[in-house]
Amino acid sequence: MLRATIVIACLALTVAAPAPAWQDDEPAPKAAVVDIEPAIGTYLGTLQAGPARLRLVFRIERARGERGAGTMDSLDQGAMGIPCESVVLRADRSVTLRCAAVRGEFSGTLNADASEIDGTWTQGGQDFPLLLVRGQPPELKRPQEPKPPFPYRATDVAIDQTADRITLAGTLTMPESREPVPAVILITGSGAQDRDETLLGHKPFLVIADALTRAGVGVLRLDDRGVGGSTGSLEAATTVDLARDTAAAIDWLSKQPGVDPKRIGLVGHSEGGLIAPMLATSREDVAFMVLLAGPAQQGDALLVEQTGLLAAAGGADAAVVDVMRRTLADLIAQAKDPAVPQGELQGKLRGALLAKASELPAGVYEAMDAYPVMLASPWMRAFLAYDPVPTLERVRCPTLALFGERDLQVPPGSNEPLARAALAKTGLGERATIRVVPGVNHLFQPCTTGGLAEYAQIETTFDPATLKAMAEWIVTTSAR
């Protein structure tokens, strides 16, 4: 559920250090600005924010005149290319770098040979020591990412989704076979996702597509609307809108040579695990489905629980987590009125959050500053009100529902029992399999904590044993 958790990414930067002491003295006059040239380059640093270690990359380049600009990457949070609109070097070799997008500032001193900038990162009213050293970002190791040549055909495709007048771009991989084969459509999680569901250097849908196609299953994966080669926009789209995109993909795939139209299934990850049951219960041509961390909680409850778990994993103590959960629950309660226009709701929620600012621990207001905009979006308002259970209770096709034991975004302790109880009412019996996969996170990576900071650090893209079991289930199920 990336769209629902993106604002948590900055929490580890804002709750783990004591607030700086007030300074009563007048600041000393600043040295004159000099040419940025000595500071231009790429710098690496590691920010220690409580238990979280966040690897940062700063790229400084010339802007206009003597001044510089640049970008910041937070590798472990998957936040890349954050603009740093101002970088200034002064005669005393002090460097100031500002990132308005995250309300952060770095101040430090460039050493004599310009190999290091030693200073402080300030965000949310708190200071964190940070040493930046010239260098190049580490090469990400992704051993599962498939490399050509491939023992199957891969074709780029374009699908017309006529209901919303958009075109969906993607890739169809097909095994070499003289007989029609089963096929699946991969459905991405929330947020702007490409056909590979690229995240933090991982391409889980590429890995899944490769494994399934090698097992004899055709696979269609698509860029989300407004992403990559697909037209349209995600800005006002809800989950129901996105389901129409997958419906168009089913219609298209059923007509492709070599695909058995009676053996088309859906594999949905996260939000894709909401879309798959919607289609499986509204169409007769979904032969089976796999739900990978598909939510069973109603959206409002899930978002509150998810926020608390991710905050704790990012270094927040129990008191801060409790305040965040209660504050978010209050905002959600005010966001539920569908009659309030989006702009008006944003203002209402921002006012409600500001009214609580004096009660919040240091850094929490800043960490939650993006929530009013997020909660007022069409996607989020629909998500908060949606209860997946009634839809799951109406599923009639074979279903494999997998949850990650250490998933903090769709926590198995709350979601697996709801999914199990709902699927028990379907009459599917043994045709419905629900399993919590030991030791994996929301992306089904073997992990230690399940926190967001681990995602990029883990080399494995998708747990191999789970991938093998999923492929075997699809092949066996589609053969019946």
Side-chain angles (χ1 to χ4, degrees):
M1 311 296 294
L2 301 177
R3 198 182 314 196
T5 60
I6 191 65
V7 294
I8 301 301
C10 67
L11 184 64
L13 302 181
T14 59
V15 300
W22 289 103
Q23 301 294 325
D24 295 325
D25 298 333
E26 289 293 325
K30 293 182 178 179
V33 174
V34 298
D35 193 85
I36 194 66
E37 182 65 30
I40 290 176
T42 301
Y43 297 83
L44 313 178
T46 300
L47 193 70
Q48 187 71 47
R53 297 179 72 253
L54 304 176
R55 295 173 298 165
L56 305 179
V57 178
F58 289 90
R59 295 177 176 86
I60 299 174
E61 57 189 27
R62 184 179 298 279
R64 289 182 297 177
E66 298 174 322
R67 295 173 182 260
T71 60
M72 178 181 76
D73 298 341
S74 181
L75 299 180
D76 299 310
Q77 296 175 320
M80 305 299 184
I82 300 168
C84 301
E85 64 281 351
S86 173
V87 186
V88 174
L89 176 65
R90 297 184 180 275
D92 60 359
R93 301 189 71 80
S94 64
V95 176
T96 303
L97 181 151
R98 293 189 176 92
C99 295
V102 295
R103 299 187 178 185
E105 179 176 302
F106 174 73
S107 299
T109 301
L110 183 69
N111 67 357
D113 64 359
S115 62
E116 297 180 353
I117 309 176
D118 192 4
T120 301
W121 173 261
T122 301
Q123 187 181 22
Q126 300 177 54
D127 293 344
F128 302 83
L130 180 61
L131 174 65
L132 299 181
V133 179
R134 280 189 188 270
Q136 293 301 316
E139 182 180 353
L140 297 176
K141 296 181 180 179
R142 302 293 182 249
Q144 284 181 294
E145 190 167 313
K147 300 290 190 298
F150 302 119
Y152 52 78
R153 290 175 283 117
T155 307
D156 289 337
V157 303
I159 299 171
D160 290 329
Q161 200 268 65
T162 56
D164 298 302
R165 298 182 179 180
I166 63 177
T167 299
L168 302 169
T171 300
L172 174 65
T173 52
M174 290 288 290
E176 298 292 347
S177 174
R178 294 181 179 179
E179 302 294 330
V181 300
V184 300
I185 299 168
L186 305 186
I187 313 172
T188 62
S190 61
Q193 303 286 327
D194 67 16
R195 68 193 70 185
D196 296 328
E197 208 182 37
T198 302
L199 175 70
L200 300 166
H202 289 285
K203 299 178 182 290
F205 275 15
L206 175 61
V207 172
I208 292 172
D210 177 75
L212 295 184
T213 311
R214 289 174 186 270
V217 179
V219 180
L220 175 63
R221 61 191 199 274
L222 299 167
D223 296 332
D224 287 352
R225 56 170 70 184
V227 177
S230 294
T231 64
S233 172
L234 275 175
E235 186 175 352
T238 68
T239 303
V240 171
D241 297 326
L242 300 178
R244 290 198 295 275
D245 297 347
T246 304
I250 296 172
D251 294 339
W252 181 89
L253 186 58
S254 67
K255 300 172 184 175
Q256 299 312 299
V259 172
D260 186 342
K262 295 182 179 180
R263 294 191 290 165
I264 293 177
L266 304 175
V267 178
H269 176 232
S270 199
E271 185 191 14
L274 296 177
I275 292 172
M278 289 179 180
L279 295 170
T281 54
S282 62
R283 302 177 60 114
E284 299 294 332
D285 53 358
V286 177
F288 57 88
M289 66 178 181
V290 177
L291 310 180
L292 299 172
Q297 279 178 292
Q298 184 161 318
D300 53 0
L302 175 57
L303 183 58
V304 171
E305 182 175 3
Q306 174 192 93
T307 297
L309 291 172
L310 289 169
D317 62 29
V320 169
V321 170
D322 181 62
V323 169
M324 287 196 70
R325 286 172 58 100
R326 287 189 285 107
T327 302
L328 179 56
D330 290 345
L331 294 177
I332 288 174
Q334 298 181 58
K336 285 188 172 181
D337 185 354
V340 181
Q342 183 177 355
E344 182 181 331
L345 180 59
Q346 283 184 18
K348 178 181 177 182
L349 295 178
R350 191 167 295 284
L353 182 60
L354 184 61
K356 290 178 174 289
S358 62
E359 308 169 16
L360 300 177
V364 172
Y365 175 80
E366 290 80 6
M368 299 190 72
D369 184 57
Y371 273 98
V373 173
M374 181 184 76
L375 292 174
S377 71
W379 181 89
M380 181 58 75
R381 295 173 80 171
F383 171 74
L384 295 174
Y386 184 66
D387 180 1
V389 166
T391 303
L392 288 171
E393 290 177 346
R394 294 187 290 110
V395 169
R396 293 296 178 265
C397 66
T399 298
L400 174 64
L402 300 177
F403 298 91
E405 179 189 27
R406 295 175 182 158
D407 187 345
L408 304 183
Q409 294 179 251
V410 181
S414 300
N415 287 272
E416 188 271 348
L418 289 173
R420 184 176 294 277
L423 291 172
K425 295 181 180 180
T426 62
L428 288 171
E430 294 182 354
R431 294 188 298 154
T433 301
I434 304 96
R435 182 186 169 208
V436 175
V437 181
V440 303
N441 60 22
H442 185 63
L443 304 183
F444 290 85
Q445 299 170 294
C447 66
T448 302
T449 69
L452 298 179
E454 288 185 320
Y455 289 7
Q457 298 171 2
I458 298 169
E459 293 184 5
T460 302
T461 297
F462 199 98
D463 177 54
T466 305
L467 189 59
K468 182 173 183 289
M470 177 172 64
E472 291 175 347
W473 185 90
I474 290 173
V475 169
T476 301
T477 300
S478 61
R480 291 172 181 168

